[in-house]
Amino acid sequence: MGRYVPALCFLNLGLLISSTACLYLGSILINIYLLPSLDLLTSNFATVPYLILAVGGLLLVCSIIGIIAAVVKSRIALIIYAVLLGAIFTLQLASIFTSMELRNDLERRVIFNTSPNMHEDLKHYWDDETVRTKWDTLQRDFQCCGAFNLRTGFQDWSRLGNYQQSRRGVPDSCCLVEEEGGCGNTEEIFSDPLAYEKINIHGCMAIMKNRLFRDVYPVLLTYIACAVVLALITILAMVLAAAYVAAITRKSNQEKDGMGMYQVPGGHRG
């Protein structure tokens, strides 16, 4: 039975290291590449990084529980550990399949060309704090303005005049240098031939299309391959935990029998 402890500790050490990698990757996809902000194009942009974070967080907790349970030889803790591994395995499968779908979306790139939902979202920029924060973050971090097209992306904001009569021009987050009073808060910015000297003129989707394909696409390929291996290790750890529980149970029953599973005939005669 002693072989289970080092095996489980070794596997859980690997799961612990993998969990930190998942947490790091999920954080980058959310905070650096702002994938959840693109959920209007496809929900996978938001689903994938949060699934990776969930896998990483649960693996971190579960691997620690697994090491402790193996060392103290607790059946209850090992059972809880095995059940958690089953739940994590399900999340891993979900993250693998959604990552494959997102990879295919990035490979086709057609999702970046047009989206009615994107223009609909722009209409709520001036009256919805959540939408405004999202677009300001995108436009500042990616140095873009508007939704689609190179060189004319900022023109997307001109279409909002019909919906927001009191608002004109582009948001301050489009400015090359943000300053009090704004740099393009009048309609003249849309006909200014030197607009590029004041604001970013490329649409955010046009900028992000190439950047995400260049940076995120290969990361997703690597994650899918590593996640498959990680899922197999998770299954192996779950099987070992179940076998360890069975071994502990057998040993406990043998100790209760006093002399093991088989007793000498007449051994309990008075």
Side-chain angles (χ1 to χ4, degrees):
M1 192 171 69
R3 64 183 182 275
Y4 289 109
V5 175
L8 279 172
C9 288
F10 178 76
L11 285 177
N12 280 292
L13 181 60
L15 293 177
L16 182 63
I17 295 173
S18 300
S19 70
T20 58
C22 288
L23 290 172
Y24 179 69
L25 175 59
S27 299
I28 288 179
L29 294 178
I30 291 173
N31 298 313
I32 303 300
Y33 291 100
L34 308 176
L35 292 195
S37 300
L38 303 178
D39 60 340
L40 289 171
L41 296 175
T42 170
S43 60
N44 290 331
F45 276 115
T47 304
V48 168
Y50 286 123
L51 275 177
I52 294 175
L53 277 183
V55 169
L58 287 175
L59 270 181
L60 178 64
V61 174
C62 193
S63 58
I64 295 174
I65 292 176
I67 293 173
I68 296 173
V71 172
V72 302
K73 301 178 182 179
S74 170
R75 280 189 299 175
I76 296 178
L78 284 168
I79 291 172
I80 293 174
Y81 169 71
V83 171
L84 283 175
L85 284 179
I88 292 171
F89 178 71
T90 303
L91 284 177
Q92 287 172 335
L93 290 181
S95 72
I96 290 171
F97 287 120
T98 54
S99 295
M100 291 175 64
E101 289 181 4
L102 181 56
R103 182 190 67 87
N104 292 334
D105 289 338
L106 290 175
E107 189 173 30
R108 290 194 302 266
R109 304 196 197 190
V110 294
I111 57 173
F112 293 98
N113 294 336
T114 181
S115 173
N117 293 333
M118 192 65 68
H119 285 126
E120 188 66 28
D121 200 47
L122 287 175
K123 296 176 186 177
H124 300 288
Y125 175 87
W126 301 107
D127 52 26
D128 190 318
E129 183 65 29
T130 302
V131 174
R132 183 160 59 251
T133 300
K134 177 176 69 176
W135 276 101
D136 283 345
T137 303
L138 279 175
Q139 292 182 148
R140 289 190 181 108
D141 289 6
F142 288 91
Q143 297 180 333
C144 53
C145 187
F148 303 102
N149 302 321
L150 288 170
R151 298 186 179 86
T152 60
F154 71 103
Q155 295 286 351
D156 289 330
W157 292 106
S158 68
R159 302 186 182 95
L160 302 183
N162 296 328
Y163 304 97
Q164 296 287 342
Q165 296 296 331
S166 60
R167 302 288 183 175
R168 294 291 186 271
V170 299
D172 291 343
S173 55
C174 287
C175 298
L176 296 177
V177 178
E178 292 189 43
E179 54 189 17
E180 187 175 352
C183 63
N185 54 2
T186 62
E187 287 187 334
E188 283 74 18
I189 192 67
F190 300 120
S191 57
D192 189 347
L194 300 178
Y196 62 88
E197 294 183 352
K198 303 174 184 177
I199 63 173
N200 296 303
I201 60 175
H202 302 305
C204 292
M205 298 306 106
I207 296 293
M208 298 183 73
K209 175 172 62 176
N210 294 326
R211 182 172 177 181
L212 293 181
F213 185 79
R214 181 193 67 204
D215 298 345
V216 176
Y217 182 82
V219 169
L220 288 176
L221 284 177
T222 304
Y223 171 75
I224 291 169
C226 293
V228 171
V229 175
L230 185 59
L232 295 176
I233 295 175
T234 302
I235 287 293
L236 179 59
M238 185 167 56
V239 171
L240 275 178
Y244 195 17
V245 170
I248 293 173
T249 302
R250 285 195 301 269
K251 183 178 180 181
S252 177
N253 291 337
Q254 289 173 358
E255 291 174 350
K256 288 179 181 179
D257 290 339
M259 295 183 63
M261 295 179 65
Y262 302 101
Q263 299 180 10
V264 177
H268 291 292
R269 292 178 181 177

